[in-house]
């Protein structure tokens, strides 16, 4: 059966594709502003049914202990998604506004292939560790440490990289033996619902193990944080919403994973290839219209070469024209919505009010009458105290800031409420490594290294989150630790 052939998606609850209690809501192509179709709009009762199904599947079946079944189902899902990858690609480009080139990587194919890491990890994981014999309090005892599933997981995800973030939660959570309710962002319901349809029709996941609940009402997702039947909430999104998730989860003291905002710094040291480094920083901020939490949006350069750095960044960013995400050559597509475009524009207006100037960009493209586009923009003339230097804009906007040496560059990088990612460029690798070691962030790119990989943990310090996603650390986020002590003969 084709994925979403009737241009209408359904909920996946307790193994069945069902309609939403609140009817449907529209999903829109951000490049054309045209309505693509509708998604099932869940209400509180739907979410309650999904939580109950997940609770029952965890408590009353062998899912949490049947590792072979979990591995088989995850590999089935990976294979089924691969079989439907071309339909999923077109859906993703249309609904997310993701440039076609990115669907070969983190926007689609990469996350699908990464399910293999979750399956392989579960299959080869040492679920118990022998601590050996000891005599605590004089009592002969044999001890072991067991890793077990947390229970029912509620996953709440954003719209910017829906497949990557959805599957980065679904894969390890299910592989570890949990059951799950996925609540995707209302801006991109089809990306999740299409996966739900494939699960229902092309895999052997037992009923209730995975439930996908789309809704235009954010309060429906908030029920996952509040409901005592949910043992853990895994959230990716804004820092402000993350605070609300943590507050709600505190009522039942459930486990919380948070992957939140960023305002990451790209440090160019005085011995680096300035033009090359600034060009890379500019290109990065244009990818997917800057809609990535780990994108380095502060370019921190030597003060003596500030004007040269601004010129190099503007030469690259000014040459990247926002356009049709269907084109194989497009790097910078649309923002996800009119609301988000207006938010980015408000920051550009603020930059001028704060005394900054635009080296390129600064508003909507003059040649695009429709679509939620913003020109790639370089802001110059501001320091790290400006709001546009401190707050997450989530658009194709790069602020260039001057530093007075390595110590000052590190100070500027760390002078942020966030600590998600960073980049260091230097002609001396050891010098770059020394600077990277002083940055209070979860991931660092040194001279072009790539940290994004299924086997590498991702997450941040400070207000960028709690815990790690992906890698072995991300798998273990979805487990509990049990110490078992047995009286020795």
């Amino acid at each position: 059966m084709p994925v979403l052939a009737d241009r209408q998606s359904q909920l996946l609850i307790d193994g069945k594709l069902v309609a939403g209690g609140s009817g449907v809501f529209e999903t829109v192509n951000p490049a054309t502003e045209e309505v693509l179709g509708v998604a099932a709009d869940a209400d509180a009762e739907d979410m309650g049914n999904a939580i109950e199904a997940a609770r029952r599947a965890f408590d009353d079946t062998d899912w949490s202990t049947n590792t072979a079944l979990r591995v088989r189902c995850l590999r089935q899902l990976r294979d089924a998604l691969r079989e439907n990858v071309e339909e999923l690609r077109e859906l993703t480009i249309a609904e997310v506004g993701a440039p076609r080139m990115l669907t070969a990587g983190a926007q689609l194919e990469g996350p699908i292939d990464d399910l293999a890491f979750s399956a392989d990890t579960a299959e080869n994981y040492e679920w118990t560790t022998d601590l050996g014999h000891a005599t605590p309090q004089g009592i002969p005892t044999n001890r072991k440490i067991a890793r077990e599933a947390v229970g029912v997981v509620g996953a709440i995800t954003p719209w910017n990289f829906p497949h990557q973030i959805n599957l980065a939660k679904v894969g390890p959570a299910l592989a570890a033996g949990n059951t799950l309710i996925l609540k995707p962002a209302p801006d991109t319901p089809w990306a999740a619902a299409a996966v739900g349809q494939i699960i229902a029709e092309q895999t052997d996941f037992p009923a209730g193990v995975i439930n996908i609940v789309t809704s235009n009402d954010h309060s429906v997702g908030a029920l996952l944080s509040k409901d005592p039947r949910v043992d853990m909430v895994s959230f990716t999104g804004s820092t402000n919403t993350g605070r609300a998730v943590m507050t709600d989860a505190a009522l039942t003291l459930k486990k919380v994973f948070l992957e939140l905002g960023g305002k990451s710094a790209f440090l160019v040291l005085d011995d680096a290839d300035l033009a090359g480094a600034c060009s890379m920083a500019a290109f990065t901020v244009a990818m997917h219209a800057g809609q990535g939490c780990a994108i380095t949006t502060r370019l921190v350069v030597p003060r003596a070469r500030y004007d040269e750095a601004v010129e190099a960044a503007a030469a690259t960013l000014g040459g990247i024209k926002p356009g049709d995400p269907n084109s194989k050559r497009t790097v910078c597509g649309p923002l996800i919505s009119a609301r988000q475009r207006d938010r980015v524009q408000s920051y550009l207006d603020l930059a001028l009010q704060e005394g900054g100037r635009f080296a390129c960009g600064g508003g909507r493209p003059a040649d695009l009458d429709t679509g939620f586009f913003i020109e790639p923009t370089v802001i110059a003339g501001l320091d790290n105290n400006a709001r546009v230097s401190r707050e997450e804009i989530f658009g194709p906007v790069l602020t260039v800031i001057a530093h007075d040496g390595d110590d000052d560059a590190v100070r500027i990088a760390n002078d942020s409420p966030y600590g998600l990612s960073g980049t260091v460029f230097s002609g001396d690798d050891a010098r770059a490594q020394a600077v990277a070691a002083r940055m209070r962030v979860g991931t660092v790119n040194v001279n072009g290294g790539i940290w994004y990989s299924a086997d590498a943990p991702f997450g941040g310090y400070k207000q960028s989150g709690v815990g790690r996603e992906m890698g072995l650390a991300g798998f273990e986020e979805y487990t509990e630790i049990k110490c078992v002590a047995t009286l020795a003969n």
Side-chain angles (χ1 to χ4, degrees):
M1 178 179 177
V3 176
L4 304 185
D6 58 357
R7 299 172 65 84
Q8 177 170 333
S9 67
Q10 295 176 289
L11 312 175
L12 175 61
I13 297 178
D14 204 14
K16 300 180 179 65
L17 296 173
V18 298
S22 292
V24 297
F25 65 100
E26 294 177 343
T27 186
V28 174
N29 184 325
T32 66
E33 303 185 41
E34 296 175 346
V35 175
L36 295 169
V38 296
D41 195 4
D43 60 14
E45 183 177 355
D46 293 322
M47 181 59 81
N49 291 338
I51 294 171
E52 181 59 31
R55 184 78 264 167
R56 186 168 57 250
F58 185 81
D59 292 340
D60 298 342
T61 76
D62 70 345
W63 174 258
S64 66
T65 57
N66 192 337
T67 302
L69 174 62
R70 301 200 304 272
V71 169
R72 178 167 64 85
C73 288
L74 282 169
R75 288 176 177 159
Q76 276 186 331
L77 177 57
R78 177 201 60 193
D79 293 345
L81 293 173
R82 291 295 308 179
E83 290 171 7
N84 292 275
V85 72
E86 294 308 323
E87 288 183 76
L88 291 170
R89 191 187 318 281
E90 299 308 316
L91 181 155
T92 304
I93 294 168
E95 183 179 54
V96 185
R100 182 172 292 276
M101 67 169 62
L102 295 185
T103 62
Q107 277 288 9
L108 180 61
E109 293 189 48
I112 291 173
D113 292 340
D114 288 350
L115 286 171
F117 177 81
S118 295
D120 293 347
T121 299
E123 187 172 52
N124 299 304
Y125 191 67
E126 295 292 335
W127 295 95
T128 60
T129 303
D130 187 2
L131 284 186
H133 181 82
T135 55
Q137 301 179 48
I139 299 173
T141 304
N142 295 324
R143 301 152 310 145
K144 67 178 181 180
I145 299 296
R147 286 274 188 172
E148 299 178 345
V150 174
V152 174
V153 174
I156 305 170
T157 58
W159 42 260
N160 56 326
F161 282 80
H163 295 298
Q164 197 282 317
I165 300 170
N166 291 346
L167 295 180
K169 298 183 188 300
V170 167
L174 297 183
N178 302 281
T179 58
L180 181 138
I181 306 99
L182 172 63
K183 168 58 176 69
D187 294 287
T188 53
W190 276 7
V195 175
Q197 181 179 331
I198 289 169
I199 288 170
E201 297 173 351
Q202 300 179 43
T203 74
D204 296 328
F205 278 96
V209 162
I210 178 169
N211 307 270
I212 298 178
V213 180
T214 59
S215 177
N216 198 37
D217 183 352
H218 289 286
S219 69
V220 170
L223 295 174
L224 292 170
S225 303
K226 300 173 182 178
D227 197 301
R229 295 171 294 178
V230 177
D231 300 297
M232 175 181 176
V233 175
S234 179
F235 171 79
T236 298
S238 73
T239 295
N240 283 339
T241 305
R243 291 189 185 98
V245 168
M246 180 173 277
T247 298
D248 289 342
L251 297 174
T252 53
L253 292 177
K254 56 173 55 74
K255 190 172 185 179
V256 175
F257 166 82
L258 301 174
E259 197 276 287
L260 308 175
K263 192 69 178 180
S264 302
F266 190 121
L267 306 186
V268 183
L269 306 188
D270 59 18
D271 63 346
D273 172 5
L274 185 79
C278 292
S279 180
M280 179 176 289
F283 183 84
T284 299
V285 86
M287 296 287 284
H288 191 36
Q291 296 172 114
C293 55
I295 291 175
T296 44
T297 55
R298 291 182 293 155
L299 176 58
V300 185
V301 301
R303 188 177 301 277
R305 302 182 71 186
Y306 183 83
D307 291 342
E308 182 184 349
V310 170
E311 182 178 350
T316 296
L317 207 51
I320 298 174
K321 303 302 181 185
D324 182 3
N326 275 294
S327 171
K328 294 180 180 180
R329 302 185 64 179
T330 295
V331 172
C332 182
L335 298 173
I336 191 64
S337 64
R339 179 184 65 255
Q340 182 63 18
R341 179 193 58 200
D342 292 346
R343 180 179 184 275
V344 173
Q345 185 64 58
S346 73
Y347 274 105
L348 297 180
D349 296 342
L350 176 63
L352 297 180
Q353 295 169 20
E354 291 186 307
R357 62 181 175 86
F358 300 137
C360 66
R364 302 183 189 183
D367 60 338
L368 293 175
D369 296 330
T370 59
F372 309 129
F373 294 97
I374 285 284
E375 296 172 305
T377 301
V378 171
I379 299 173
L382 296 175
D383 62 19
N384 199 52
N385 294 315
R387 281 182 58 193
V388 295
S389 301
R390 304 192 67 80
E391 298 178 13
E392 187 174 40
I393 297 174
F394 229 62
V397 182
L398 183 67
T399 304
V400 187
I401 302 168
H403 73 74
D404 296 308
D406 293 8
D407 290 347
D408 193 43
V410 171
R411 178 193 65 78
I412 291 169
N414 290 339
D415 181 17
S416 171
Y418 301 109
L420 189 53
S421 191
T423 295
V424 184
F425 264 66
S426 169
D428 181 340
D429 190 64
R431 181 182 178 190
Q433 291 280 1
V435 167
R438 296 164 62 192
M439 297 174 73
R440 297 284 294 165
V441 295
T443 60
V444 188
N445 165 344
V446 176
N447 286 334
I450 302 297
W451 45 258
Y452 173 74
S453 178
D455 63 347
F458 172 70
Y461 293 20
K462 299 186 282 186
Q463 293 183 33
S464 285
V466 176
R468 292 295 181 270
E469 197 149 69
M470 304 176 69
L472 182 60
F475 175 85
E476 290 183 338
E477 288 284 351
Y478 295 96
T479 66
E480 293 280 19
I481 299 174
K482 177 184 288 182
C483 179
V484 180
T486 304
L487 182 66
N489 294 325

